[in-house]
Amino acid sequence: PGKHTLDFEIQAYRKGSAGNYRLSLFTEDQQLIDEAVANPGTSSYDPRLVYQSDGDETLYLQVREENNLGNPAIWYMLDTRVEASQ
């Protein structure tokens, strides 16, 4: 219980993947809460999504490749951090 900061970050482009990803965060009822997309031409090409959670909810995170590519050069790692707040 209690509030938490949820931090999701795709690690792909900076590590050599050709994928172009979107992060989407949904409620238990499949309502979109927030999205993060790549920012081409910046140092943050891989998307990052930060959400302040009340702590008593079910959330779903969707990772989607935007160009519908699928091959061994298209991969990602998902860095997830959860920080409790008072």
Side-chain angles (χ1 to χ4, degrees):
K3 297 182 184 236
H4 293 80
T5 301
L6 309 176
D7 189 342
F8 306 102
E9 184 176 12
I10 291 289
Q11 293 185 20
Y13 182 79
R14 291 172 291 173
K15 304 283 186 184
S17 173
N20 177 19
Y21 296 95
R22 173 184 300 263
L23 291 173
S24 302
L25 188 65
F26 295 91
T27 66
E28 188 172 16
D29 298 329
Q30 300 178 6
Q31 299 298 311
L32 180 64
I33 296 172
D34 199 2
E35 287 189 308
V37 295
N39 297 306
T42 71
S43 61
S44 61
Y45 191 81
D46 292 327
R48 179 179 180 198
L49 191 149
V50 179
Y51 175 71
Q52 301 295 323
S53 171
D54 290 333
D56 188 21
E57 59 190 331
T58 300
L59 301 170
Y60 296 95
L61 181 70
Q62 178 186 58
V63 178
R64 187 173 62 222
E65 204 290 316
E66 293 288 271
N67 299 326
N68 295 318
L69 300 174
N71 63 57
I74 307 300
W75 55 268
Y76 68 90
M77 295 181 289
L78 178 62
D79 187 7
T80 304
R81 295 179 287 277
V82 178
E83 183 178 315
S85 54
Q86 304 269 335

Coordinates of all heavy atoms in Angstrom, one line a residue:
P1 N 0.8 -1.2 0.0 CA 0.0 0.0 0.0 C 0.9 1.3 0.0 O 2.0 1.2 0.4 CB -0.8 -0.1 1.3 CG -0.4 -1.4 1.9 CD 0.7 -2.0 1.2
G2 N 0.3 2.3 -0.4 CA 1.0 3.6 -0.4 C 1.4 4.0 -1.8 O 1.3 3.2 -2.8
K3 N 1.7 5.2 -2.0 CA 2.0 5.8 -3.3 C 3.4 5.3 -3.8 O 4.3 5.1 -3.0 CB 2.0 7.3 -3.3 CG 0.6 7.8 -3.0 CD 0.6 9.3 -3.0 CE -0.8 9.7 -2.5 NZ -1.5 10.6 -3.5
H4 N 3.5 5.1 -5.1 CA 4.7 4.7 -5.8 C 4.9 5.4 -7.1 O 4.0 5.8 -7.8 CB 4.7 3.2 -6.1 CG 4.6 2.3 -4.9 ND1 3.5 2.1 -4.2 CD2 5.6 1.6 -4.3 CE1 3.7 1.3 -3.2 NE2 5.0 1.0 -3.2
T5 N 6.2 5.6 -7.4 CA 6.6 6.1 -8.7 C 7.0 5.0 -9.5 O 8.0 4.2 -9.2 CB 7.7 7.2 -8.6 OG1 7.3 8.2 -7.8 CG2 8.1 7.7 -9.9
L6 N 6.4 4.8 -10.7 CA 6.7 3.7 -11.6 C 7.5 4.3 -12.8 O 7.0 5.3 -13.4 CB 5.4 3.0 -12.1 CG 4.5 2.5 -11.0 CD1 3.2 1.9 -11.7 CD2 5.1 1.5 -10.1
D7 N 8.6 3.8 -13.1 CA 9.5 4.3 -14.2 C 9.8 3.2 -15.1 O 10.5 2.2 -14.8 CB 10.7 4.9 -13.5 CG 11.6 5.7 -14.5 OD1 11.4 5.5 -15.7 OD2 12.4 6.5 -14.0
F8 N 9.3 3.3 -16.4 CA 9.5 2.3 -17.4 C 10.3 3.0 -18.5 O 10.0 4.0 -19.0 CB 8.2 1.8 -18.0 CG 7.2 1.3 -17.0 CD1 6.2 2.1 -16.6 CD2 7.4 0.0 -16.4 CE1 5.3 1.6 -15.6 CE2 6.5 -0.4 -15.5 CZ 5.4 0.3 -15.1
E9 N 11.4 2.3 -18.9 CA 12.2 2.9 -20.0 C 12.7 1.7 -20.9 O 13.2 0.7 -20.5 CB 13.5 3.6 -19.5 CG 14.3 4.2 -20.5 CD 15.5 5.1 -20.0 OE1 15.8 4.9 -18.8 OE2 16.1 5.8 -20.7
I10 N 12.4 1.9 -22.2 CA 12.9 1.0 -23.2 C 14.4 1.3 -23.5 O 14.8 2.4 -23.6 CB 12.1 1.2 -24.6 CG1 10.7 0.7 -24.4 CG2 12.8 0.4 -25.7 CD1 10.5 -0.8 -24.2
Q11 N 15.2 0.2 -23.5 CA 16.6 0.3 -24.0 C 16.7 -0.5 -25.2 O 16.6 -1.7 -25.2 CB 17.5 -0.2 -22.9 CG 17.5 0.7 -21.6 CD 18.5 0.3 -20.6 OE1 19.4 -0.4 -20.9 NE2 18.3 0.7 -19.4
A12 N 16.8 0.2 -26.3 CA 16.9 -0.5 -27.6 C 17.8 0.3 -28.6 O 18.9 -0.2 -28.9 CB 15.5 -0.7 -28.2
Y13 N 17.4 1.4 -29.0 CA 18.1 2.2 -30.0 C 19.6 2.5 -29.6 O 20.5 2.3 -30.3 CB 17.4 3.5 -30.3 CG 18.1 4.3 -31.4 CD1 17.9 4.0 -32.7 CD2 18.8 5.4 -31.0 CE1 18.5 4.8 -33.7 CE2 19.5 6.2 -32.0 CZ 19.3 5.9 -33.3 OH 19.9 6.6 -34.3
R14 N 19.7 2.9 -28.3 CA 21.1 3.2 -27.8 C 21.9 2.0 -27.7 O 23.2 2.1 -27.6 CB 21.0 3.9 -26.5 CG 20.4 5.3 -26.6 CD 20.1 5.9 -25.2 NE 19.0 5.2 -24.6 CZ 18.6 5.3 -23.4 NH1 19.2 6.1 -22.6 NH2 17.6 4.6 -23.0
K15 N 21.3 0.8 -27.7 CA 22.1 -0.5 -27.6 C 22.2 -1.2 -28.9 O 22.7 -2.3 -29.0 CB 21.4 -1.4 -26.6 CG 21.2 -0.8 -25.2 CD 22.4 -0.8 -24.4 CE 22.1 -0.3 -23.0 NZ 23.3 -0.2 -22.2
G16 N 21.7 -0.6 -30.0 CA 21.9 -1.1 -31.3 C 20.7 -1.8 -32.0 O 20.8 -2.3 -33.1
S17 N 19.5 -1.7 -31.4 CA 18.3 -2.3 -32.0 C 17.8 -1.3 -33.0 O 17.8 -0.1 -32.8 CB 17.3 -2.6 -30.9 OG 16.1 -3.0 -31.5
A18 N 17.2 -1.8 -34.1 CA 16.5 -1.0 -35.1 C 15.1 -0.7 -34.8 O 14.4 -0.1 -35.6 CB 16.7 -1.6 -36.4
G19 N 14.6 -1.1 -33.6 CA 13.2 -1.0 -33.3 C 12.8 0.5 -32.9 O 13.6 1.2 -32.4
N20 N 11.5 0.8 -33.2 CA 11.0 2.1 -32.8 C 9.8 1.8 -31.9 O 8.7 1.4 -32.4 CB 10.6 2.8 -34.1 CG 9.9 4.2 -33.8 OD1 10.0 4.7 -32.7 ND2 9.2 4.7 -34.8
Y21 N 9.9 2.1 -30.6 CA 8.9 1.6 -29.7 C 8.0 2.6 -29.1 O 8.3 3.8 -29.0 CB 9.6 0.8 -28.6 CG 10.3 -0.4 -29.1 CD1 11.6 -0.4 -29.4 CD2 9.6 -1.6 -29.3 CE1 12.3 -1.5 -29.9 CE2 10.2 -2.7 -29.8 CZ 11.5 -2.6 -30.1 OH 12.2 -3.7 -30.6
R22 N 6.8 2.2 -28.7 CA 5.8 3.0 -27.9 C 5.5 2.3 -26.7 O 5.2 1.1 -26.7 CB 4.6 3.2 -28.8 CG 3.4 3.9 -28.0 CD 2.2 4.0 -28.9 NE 2.4 4.7 -30.1 CZ 2.2 6.0 -30.3 NH1 1.6 6.7 -29.3 NH2 2.4 6.6 -31.4
L23 N 5.5 3.0 -25.5 CA 5.0 2.4 -24.3 C 3.6 3.0 -24.0 O 3.4 4.2 -24.1 CB 5.9 2.9 -23.1 CG 7.3 2.3 -23.1 CD1 8.2 2.9 -22.0 CD2 7.2 0.8 -22.9
S24 N 2.7 2.1 -23.6 CA 1.3 2.6 -23.3 C 0.9 2.0 -21.9 O 1.1 0.7 -21.8 CB 0.3 2.1 -24.3 OG 0.7 2.7 -25.6
L25 N 0.4 2.8 -21.0 CA 0.0 2.3 -19.7 C -1.5 2.4 -19.6 O -2.1 3.4 -19.9 CB 0.7 3.2 -18.6 CG 0.5 2.7 -17.2 CD1 1.2 1.4 -17.0 CD2 1.0 3.8 -16.2
F26 N -2.1 1.3 -19.2 CA -3.6 1.2 -19.1 C -4.1 0.8 -17.7 O -3.3 0.1 -17.0 CB -4.1 0.1 -20.1 CG -3.8 0.3 -21.5 CD1 -2.6 -0.1 -22.2 CD2 -4.7 1.0 -22.3 CE1 -2.4 0.2 -23.5 CE2 -4.5 1.3 -23.7 CZ -3.3 0.8 -24.2
T27 N -5.3 1.2 -17.5 CA -6.0 0.8 -16.2 C -6.4 -0.7 -16.4 O -6.4 -1.2 -17.5 CB -7.2 1.6 -15.9 OG1 -8.2 1.4 -16.9 CG2 -6.8 3.1 -15.8
E28 N -6.9 -1.2 -15.3 CA -7.5 -2.6 -15.3 C -8.7 -2.7 -16.3 O -8.9 -3.7 -16.9 CB -8.0 -2.9 -13.9 CG -8.4 -4.4 -13.8 CD -8.6 -4.7 -12.3 OE1 -8.8 -3.9 -11.5 OE2 -8.7 -5.9 -12.1
D29 N -9.4 -1.5 -16.5 CA -10.5 -1.5 -17.4 C -10.1 -1.1 -18.9 O -10.9 -0.7 -19.7 CB -11.5 -0.5 -17.0 CG -12.1 -0.8 -15.6 OD1 -12.2 -2.0 -15.3 OD2 -12.5 0.1 -14.9
Q30 N -8.8 -1.2 -19.1 CA -8.2 -0.9 -20.4 C -8.4 0.5 -20.9 O -8.4 0.8 -22.1 CB -8.8 -1.9 -21.5 CG -8.5 -3.4 -21.1 CD -9.0 -4.3 -22.1 OE1 -9.6 -4.0 -23.1 NE2 -9.0 -5.6 -21.8
Q31 N -8.4 1.4 -20.0 CA -8.4 2.8 -20.3 C -7.0 3.3 -20.4 O -6.2 3.1 -19.4 CB -9.2 3.6 -19.3 CG -10.7 3.2 -19.2 CD -11.4 3.4 -20.5 OE1 -11.4 4.5 -21.1 NE2 -12.2 2.4 -20.9
L32 N -6.6 4.1 -21.4 CA -5.3 4.6 -21.6 C -5.0 5.7 -20.5 O -5.8 6.6 -20.4 CB -5.1 5.2 -23.0 CG -3.7 5.8 -23.3 CD1 -2.7 4.7 -23.3 CD2 -3.8 6.5 -24.6
I33 N -3.9 5.5 -19.8 CA -3.5 6.5 -18.8 C -2.4 7.4 -19.4 O -2.6 8.6 -19.3 CB -2.9 5.8 -17.6 CG1 -3.9 4.9 -16.9 CG2 -2.3 6.8 -16.6 CD1 -3.4 4.1 -15.8
D34 N -1.4 6.9 -20.1 CA -0.3 7.7 -20.6 C 0.4 6.9 -21.6 O 0.3 5.6 -21.7 CB 0.6 8.1 -19.5 CG 1.5 9.3 -19.8 OD1 1.3 9.8 -20.9 OD2 2.3 9.6 -19.0
E35 N 1.1 7.6 -22.5 CA 1.9 7.0 -23.5 C 3.3 7.7 -23.6 O 3.4 8.9 -23.3 CB 1.3 7.0 -24.9 CG 0.1 6.1 -25.1 CD -0.4 6.0 -26.5 OE1 -0.6 7.1 -27.1 OE2 -0.5 4.9 -27.0
A36 N 4.3 6.9 -24.1 CA 5.6 7.5 -24.4 C 6.1 7.0 -25.7 O 5.9 5.8 -26.0 CB 6.6 7.2 -23.3
V37 N 6.6 7.8 -26.5 CA 7.1 7.4 -27.8 C 8.6 7.9 -28.0 O 9.1 8.7 -27.2 CB 6.3 8.0 -29.0 CG1 4.9 7.4 -29.0 CG2 6.2 9.5 -29.0
A38 N 9.3 7.4 -29.0 CA 10.6 7.8 -29.3 C 10.7 9.3 -29.7 O 9.7 9.8 -30.2 CB 11.2 6.9 -30.4
N39 N 11.8 9.9 -29.4 CA 12.0 11.3 -29.8 C 13.2 11.4 -30.7 O 14.4 11.6 -30.3 CB 12.3 12.2 -28.6 CG 11.1 12.2 -27.6 OD1 10.0 12.5 -28.1 ND2 11.3 11.8 -26.4
P40 N 13.0 11.1 -32.0 CA 14.2 11.1 -33.0 C 15.0 12.4 -32.9 O 14.4 13.4 -32.8 CB 13.5 10.9 -34.3 CG 12.2 10.3 -34.0 CD 11.8 10.8 -32.7
G41 N 16.2 12.2 -33.1 CA 17.1 13.4 -33.2 C 17.5 13.9 -31.8 O 18.1 15.0 -31.7
T42 N 17.1 13.2 -30.7 CA 17.5 13.6 -29.4 C 18.3 12.5 -28.7 O 18.3 11.4 -29.2 CB 16.3 14.0 -28.5 OG1 15.6 12.8 -28.2 CG2 15.3 14.9 -29.2
S43 N 18.8 12.7 -27.5 CA 19.5 11.7 -26.8 C 18.5 10.7 -26.2 O 18.9 9.7 -25.6 CB 20.4 12.3 -25.7 OG 19.6 13.0 -24.8
S44 N 17.2 11.0 -26.2 CA 16.2 10.1 -25.6 C 15.3 9.5 -26.7 O 14.1 9.5 -26.6 CB 15.3 10.9 -24.7 OG 14.6 12.0 -25.4
Y45 N 16.0 8.9 -27.7 CA 15.3 8.2 -28.8 C 14.4 7.0 -28.2 O 13.3 6.8 -28.7 CB 16.2 7.7 -29.8 CG 15.5 7.3 -31.1 CD1 15.1 8.2 -32.0 CD2 15.3 5.9 -31.3 CE1 14.5 7.8 -33.2 CE2 14.6 5.5 -32.5 CZ 14.2 6.5 -33.4 OH 13.6 6.1 -34.5
D46 N 14.9 6.3 -27.2 CA 14.1 5.3 -26.6 C 13.1 5.9 -25.6 O 13.4 6.8 -24.8 CB 15.0 4.3 -25.8 CG 15.9 3.5 -26.8 OD1 15.5 3.2 -27.9 OD2 17.0 3.2 -26.4
P47 N 11.8 5.4 -25.7 CA 10.8 6.0 -24.8 C 10.9 5.7 -23.4 O 11.4 4.6 -23.0 CB 9.5 5.5 -25.4 CG 9.9 4.2 -26.1 CD 11.3 4.4 -26.6
R48 N 10.5 6.7 -22.5 CA 10.5 6.5 -21.1 C 9.1 7.0 -20.6 O 8.7 8.1 -21.0 CB 11.6 7.3 -20.5 CG 11.6 7.2 -19.0 CD 12.8 8.0 -18.4 NE 12.8 7.9 -17.0 CZ 13.5 8.7 -16.2 NH1 14.2 9.7 -16.7 NH2 13.5 8.5 -14.9
L49 N 8.5 6.3 -19.7 CA 7.2 6.6 -19.1 C 7.3 6.6 -17.6 O 7.7 5.6 -17.0 CB 6.1 5.7 -19.6 CG 4.7 6.0 -19.4 CD1 3.8 5.5 -20.5 CD2 4.2 5.5 -18.0
V50 N 7.0 7.7 -16.9 CA 7.0 7.8 -15.5 C 5.5 8.0 -15.0 O 4.9 8.9 -15.6 CB 7.9 8.9 -15.0 CG1 7.9 9.0 -13.5 CG2 9.3 8.6 -15.5
Y51 N 5.1 7.3 -14.0 CA 3.7 7.4 -13.6 C 3.7 7.4 -12.0 O 4.3 6.5 -11.4 CB 2.9 6.2 -14.1 CG 1.5 6.1 -13.6 CD1 0.5 7.1 -14.0 CD2 1.1 5.1 -12.7 CE1 -0.8 7.0 -13.5 CE2 -0.2 5.1 -12.3 CZ -1.2 6.0 -12.7 OH -2.4 6.0 -12.2
Q52 N 2.9 8.3 -11.5 CA 2.7 8.3 -10.0 C 1.4 7.5 -9.7 O 0.3 7.9 -10.0 CB 2.5 9.8 -9.6 CG 3.6 10.7 -9.9 CD 4.9 10.3 -9.2 OE1 4.9 9.9 -8.0 NE2 6.0 10.5 -9.9
S53 N 1.7 6.3 -9.0 CA 0.6 5.4 -8.7 C 0.1 5.6 -7.3 O 0.9 5.9 -6.4 CB 1.1 4.0 -8.9 OG 0.1 3.1 -8.4
D54 N -1.2 5.5 -7.1 CA -1.7 5.6 -5.7 C -1.4 4.3 -4.9 O -1.6 4.2 -3.7 CB -3.3 5.8 -5.7 CG -3.6 7.2 -6.2 OD1 -2.8 8.1 -6.0 OD2 -4.7 7.3 -6.8
G55 N -1.0 3.3 -5.6 CA -0.5 2.0 -5.0 C -1.6 1.0 -4.8 O -1.2 -0.2 -4.6
D56 N -2.8 1.2 -5.0 CA -3.9 0.2 -4.9 C -4.6 0.1 -6.2 O -5.8 0.4 -6.3 CB -4.8 0.6 -3.8 CG -5.8 -0.5 -3.5 OD1 -5.5 -1.6 -3.9 OD2 -6.9 -0.2 -2.9
E57 N -3.9 -0.3 -7.3 CA -4.5 -0.4 -8.6 C -3.8 -1.4 -9.4 O -2.6 -1.7 -9.2 CB -4.4 1.0 -9.3 CG -3.0 1.5 -9.5 CD -3.0 3.0 -10.0 OE1 -3.9 3.4 -10.7 OE2 -2.1 3.7 -9.7
T58 N -4.5 -2.0 -10.4 CA -3.9 -2.9 -11.3 C -3.6 -2.1 -12.6 O -4.5 -1.5 -13.2 CB -4.8 -4.1 -11.6 OG1 -5.1 -4.8 -10.4 CG2 -4.2 -5.1 -12.6
L59 N -2.4 -2.2 -13.1 CA -2.0 -1.5 -14.4 C -1.5 -2.5 -15.4 O -0.9 -3.5 -15.0 CB -0.9 -0.5 -14.0 CG -1.3 0.6 -13.0 CD1 -0.1 1.4 -12.6 CD2 -2.4 1.5 -13.6
Y60 N -1.6 -2.2 -16.6 CA -1.0 -3.0 -17.7 C -0.1 -2.1 -18.6 O -0.5 -1.0 -19.0 CB -2.1 -3.6 -18.6 CG -3.0 -4.5 -17.8 CD1 -4.2 -4.1 -17.2 CD2 -2.6 -5.9 -17.6 CE1 -4.9 -5.0 -16.4 CE2 -3.4 -6.7 -16.9 CZ -4.5 -6.3 -16.3 OH -5.3 -7.2 -15.5
L61 N 1.0 -2.6 -18.9 CA 2.0 -1.9 -19.8 C 2.1 -2.6 -21.1 O 2.3 -3.8 -21.1 CB 3.4 -1.8 -19.1 CG 4.4 -1.0 -19.9 CD1 4.1 0.5 -19.9 CD2 5.8 -1.3 -19.3
Q62 N 1.9 -1.8 -22.2 CA 2.0 -2.4 -23.5 C 3.3 -1.8 -24.2 O 3.5 -0.6 -24.1 CB 0.8 -2.0 -24.3 CG 0.9 -2.5 -25.8 CD -0.3 -2.0 -26.6 OE1 -0.5 -0.8 -26.7 NE2 -1.1 -3.0 -27.2
V63 N 4.1 -2.7 -24.8 CA 5.2 -2.3 -25.5 C 4.9 -2.6 -27.0 O 4.7 -3.8 -27.3 CB 6.5 -3.0 -25.1 CG1 7.7 -2.6 -25.9 CG2 6.8 -2.7 -23.6
R64 N 5.0 -1.6 -27.9 CA 4.6 -1.9 -29.3 C 5.7 -1.3 -30.2 O 6.2 -0.2 -30.0 CB 3.3 -1.2 -29.6 CG 2.7 -1.6 -30.9 CD 1.3 -1.1 -31.2 NE 1.3 0.4 -31.1 CZ 0.3 1.1 -30.4 NH1 -0.6 0.5 -29.8 NH2 0.4 2.4 -30.4
E65 N 6.1 -2.1 -31.2 CA 7.0 -1.6 -32.2 C 6.2 -0.9 -33.3 O 5.3 -1.5 -33.8 CB 7.8 -2.8 -32.8 CG 9.1 -2.5 -33.4 CD 9.1 -1.7 -34.7 OE1 8.2 -2.0 -35.5 OE2 9.8 -0.8 -34.8
E66 N 6.6 0.3 -33.5 CA 5.7 1.2 -34.3 C 5.8 0.9 -35.8 O 4.9 1.3 -36.6 CB 6.1 2.7 -34.1 CG 5.8 3.1 -32.7 CD 4.3 3.4 -32.5 OE1 3.8 4.5 -32.8 OE2 3.6 2.4 -32.1
N67 N 6.9 0.3 -36.3 CA 7.0 0.1 -37.7 C 6.6 -1.3 -38.2 O 6.9 -1.6 -39.4 CB 8.5 0.4 -38.1 CG 8.9 1.8 -37.8 OD1 8.0 2.7 -37.9 ND2 10.1 2.1 -37.5
N68 N 6.0 -2.1 -37.3 CA 5.6 -3.5 -37.6 C 6.8 -4.3 -38.2 O 6.6 -5.1 -39.1 CB 4.4 -3.5 -38.6 CG 3.2 -2.9 -38.0 OD1 2.9 -3.1 -36.8 ND2 2.5 -2.0 -38.7
L69 N 8.0 -4.1 -37.6 CA 9.1 -4.8 -38.1 C 9.3 -6.1 -37.1 O 8.9 -6.0 -36.0 CB 10.4 -4.0 -38.0 CG 10.4 -2.7 -38.8 CD1 11.7 -1.9 -38.6 CD2 10.3 -3.1 -40.3
G70 N 9.8 -7.1 -37.7 CA 10.0 -8.3 -36.9 C 11.2 -9.1 -37.4 O 11.0 -9.7 -38.5
N71 N 12.3 -9.0 -36.8 CA 13.5 -9.8 -37.2 C 14.5 -9.8 -36.1 O 14.3 -9.1 -35.1 CB 14.0 -9.3 -38.6 CG 14.5 -7.9 -38.5 OD1 15.4 -7.6 -37.7 ND2 14.0 -7.0 -39.3
P72 N 15.6 -10.5 -36.2 CA 16.5 -10.6 -35.1 C 17.2 -9.2 -34.8 O 17.7 -9.0 -33.7 CB 17.6 -11.5 -35.6 CG 16.9 -12.4 -36.6 CD 15.9 -11.5 -37.3
A73 N 17.1 -8.2 -35.6 CA 17.6 -6.9 -35.3 C 16.7 -6.0 -34.5 O 17.0 -4.9 -34.1 CB 18.0 -6.2 -36.6
I74 N 15.5 -6.5 -34.3 CA 14.4 -5.8 -33.6 C 14.2 -6.4 -32.2 O 13.6 -7.5 -32.1 CB 13.1 -5.8 -34.4 CG1 13.3 -5.3 -35.8 CG2 12.0 -5.0 -33.7 CD1 13.8 -3.9 -36.0
W75 N 14.7 -5.7 -31.2 CA 14.6 -6.3 -29.9 C 14.7 -5.1 -28.9 O 14.9 -3.9 -29.3 CB 15.8 -7.2 -29.6 CG 17.1 -6.5 -29.8 CD1 17.9 -6.6 -31.0 CD2 17.9 -5.7 -28.9 NE1 19.0 -5.8 -30.8 CE2 19.0 -5.3 -29.6 CE3 17.7 -5.3 -27.6 CZ2 20.0 -4.4 -29.0 CZ3 18.6 -4.4 -27.0 CH2 19.7 -4.0 -27.7
Y76 N 14.3 -5.3 -27.7 CA 14.4 -4.3 -26.6 C 14.6 -4.9 -25.3 O 14.3 -6.1 -25.1 CB 13.1 -3.4 -26.6 CG 11.9 -4.1 -26.2 CD1 11.5 -4.2 -24.8 CD2 11.1 -4.8 -27.1 CE1 10.4 -4.8 -24.4 CE2 10.0 -5.5 -26.6 CZ 9.6 -5.5 -25.3 OH 8.5 -6.2 -24.9
M77 N 15.1 -4.1 -24.4 CA 15.1 -4.4 -22.9 C 14.2 -3.4 -22.2 O 14.2 -2.2 -22.6 CB 16.5 -4.3 -22.4 CG 17.5 -5.3 -23.0 SD 19.1 -5.2 -22.3 CE 19.7 -3.7 -23.0
L78 N 13.5 -3.8 -21.2 CA 12.6 -2.9 -20.5 C 13.2 -2.7 -19.1 O 13.3 -3.7 -18.3 CB 11.2 -3.5 -20.4 CG 10.2 -2.7 -19.6 CD1 10.0 -1.3 -20.2 CD2 8.9 -3.4 -19.5
D79 N 13.6 -1.5 -18.8 CA 14.2 -1.1 -17.5 C 13.0 -0.6 -16.7 O 12.3 0.3 -17.1 CB 15.2 0.0 -17.7 CG 15.9 0.3 -16.4 OD1 15.7 -0.4 -15.4 OD2 16.7 1.2 -16.4
T80 N 12.7 -1.3 -15.6 CA 11.6 -0.9 -14.7 C 12.1 -0.6 -13.3 O 12.8 -1.4 -12.7 CB 10.6 -2.1 -14.6 OG1 10.2 -2.5 -16.0 CG2 9.4 -1.8 -13.8
R81 N 11.6 0.5 -12.8 CA 12.0 1.0 -11.5 C 10.7 1.3 -10.7 O 9.8 2.0 -11.3 CB 13.0 2.2 -11.5 CG 14.3 1.8 -12.1 CD 15.2 3.0 -12.2 NE 14.9 4.0 -13.2 CZ 15.2 3.9 -14.5 NH1 15.9 2.9 -14.9 NH2 14.9 4.8 -15.3
V82 N 10.7 0.9 -9.5 CA 9.5 1.3 -8.6 C 10.1 1.9 -7.3 O 11.0 1.3 -6.7 CB 8.7 0.0 -8.2 CG1 7.6 0.4 -7.3 CG2 8.2 -0.7 -9.4
E83 N 9.6 3.1 -7.0 CA 10.1 3.8 -5.9 C 8.9 4.2 -5.0 O 8.0 4.8 -5.4 CB 10.8 5.1 -6.3 CG 11.4 5.9 -5.1 CD 12.2 7.1 -5.6 OE1 13.0 7.0 -6.6 OE2 12.0 8.2 -5.0
A84 N 9.0 3.7 -3.7 CA 7.9 4.0 -2.8 C 8.0 5.5 -2.3 O 9.1 6.0 -2.1 CB 7.9 3.1 -1.6
S85 N 6.9 6.2 -2.1 CA 6.9 7.5 -1.6 C 6.0 7.5 -0.4 O 5.1 6.7 -0.2 CB 6.5 8.5 -2.6 OG 5.2 8.2 -3.2
Q86 N 6.3 8.5 0.5 CA 5.6 8.6 1.8 C 4.2 9.3 1.6 O 4.1 10.2 0.9 CB 6.4 9.3 2.8 CG 7.7 8.6 3.0 CD 7.8 7.6 4.1 OE1 7.0 7.7 5.0 NE2 8.7 6.7 4.0

